[in-house]
Amino acid sequence: MTVLITGSRGKVATTLTPLLRSHGLTVRAASASPDKLTVPDGVERVVCDLDDPATFAAALSGVTSVFLYANPRHIEEFLAEAEAAGVEHITLLSSSSVLEPGADTNAIAAMHSAVERALDRSGITTTFLRPGGFAGNALGWAWSARTTGTVDHPVPATQSSPIHETDIAEAALAVLTRPELRGGAHHLTGPASLSVTEQVAVLAEATGRPLTVNSVSAQAWKESMAEFMPAAVADALLDYFTSHEGHPDTVTTTVEALTGHPARTFASWARENADAFRP
């Protein structure tokens, strides 16, 4: 079985690739710039730019399964090439945002929903992994935490159930290697709902230094994010922050059902990444 991994520079993909190799699978790591990839021995690097359909056919040749990053721009062309290549199964890294109210007008949810719908229309067996917020999103606070000991946020009381990226990779490993798990959708979360203030407190404990949260206006936060994300994505996040203010996020046991172990805590992620938040 040959598995094509798209988005191979991402944290989930870089964790998934060696896991698949350890299970004896042939892995093909795909990227728009494969020369920049660092991969385990025996992993082939190939060009596959999801914004460039001309790269699809060669990347998919001989592939049995695909771990797919959600990019709706040329999804129909990608799926046509996948069917022509004889791909049997696609695991999509989707998002729990598709489950939220107003998903059709939310930029993040709309992107993932468009890819899910295209996969539903295809003749390929598909599995949707729908994680919530990644624990690694907290790295966006690292520079401020290191330099000022503070984190700016527009809604410090907003809650999420951050999931460790390794748990997502291990869930992907399960559905890619166990045919009985193929098909359907899986809502993946961490083991607890935490506010931004609580997450920062966990980081403070892990780093052994005081960290505080500054409440800032939505506009100020959006302006600070301008160089990192499109305005529509920032607006979608602001809507999420507001709608989850003071309300516990959904927590599932899906990680344990797929992997056989409980989801890793945010505290464990914080300990692993504590140096990023220290001066």
Side-chain angles (χ1 to χ4, degrees), residues 114-132:
V115 178
E116 287 197 7
R117 288 194 295 268
L119 284 162
D120 278 336
R121 292 191 298 268
S122 79
I124 302 172
T125 300
T126 60
T127 306
F128 302 145
L129 297 182
R130 294 170 172 166

Side-chain angles (χ1 to χ4, degrees), residues 4 6 28 32 42 105-106 153 155 157 181-182 199 205-206 216 244 247 269:
L4 177 72
T6 69
R28 191 176 292 174
T105 58
N106 179 292
H153 201 278
V155 190
L181 296 178
R182 293 179 182 178
Q199 290 178 50
E205 182 175 357
V216 298
H244 286 72
H247 303 294
W269 182 92

Side-chain angles (χ1 to χ4, degrees), residues 20-162:
L20 290 168
R21 283 294 296 152
S22 71
H23 280 68
L25 276 69
T26 301
V27 182
R28 191 176 292 174
S31 171
S33 302
D35 56 307
K36 297 180 181 179
L37 296 175
T38 301
V39 298
D41 290 343
V43 173
E44 180 186 5
R45 295 180 292 182
V46 298
V47 177
C48 185
D49 182 349
L50 295 178
D51 288 326
D52 182 4
T55 66
F56 296 165
L60 286 161
S61 178
V63 166
T64 313
S65 295
V66 176
F67 178 74
L68 183 63
Y69 184 82
N71 182 334
R73 187 176 178 190
H74 295 292
I75 185 60
E76 298 292 352
E77 294 96 323
F78 184 89
L79 293 175
E81 292 289 0
E83 289 192 61
V87 170
E88 300 172 1
H89 176 233
I90 294 176
T91 296
L92 176 70
L93 182 58
S94 187
S95 165
S96 65
S97 62
V98 302
L99 304 172
E100 295 283 332
D104 289 342
T105 58
N106 179 292
I108 298 172
M111 174 181 73
H112 291 90
S113 292
V115 178
E116 287 197 7
R117 288 194 295 268
L119 284 162
D120 278 336
R121 292 191 298 268
S122 79
I124 302 172
T125 300
T126 60
T127 306
F128 302 145
L129 297 182
R130 294 170 172 166
F134 290 10
N137 291 345
L139 289 171
W141 304 332
W143 182 85
S144 178
R146 280 198 312 271
T147 58
T148 69
T150 63
V151 170
D152 291 343
H153 201 278
V155 190
T158 193
Q159 296 211 23
S160 64
S161 49

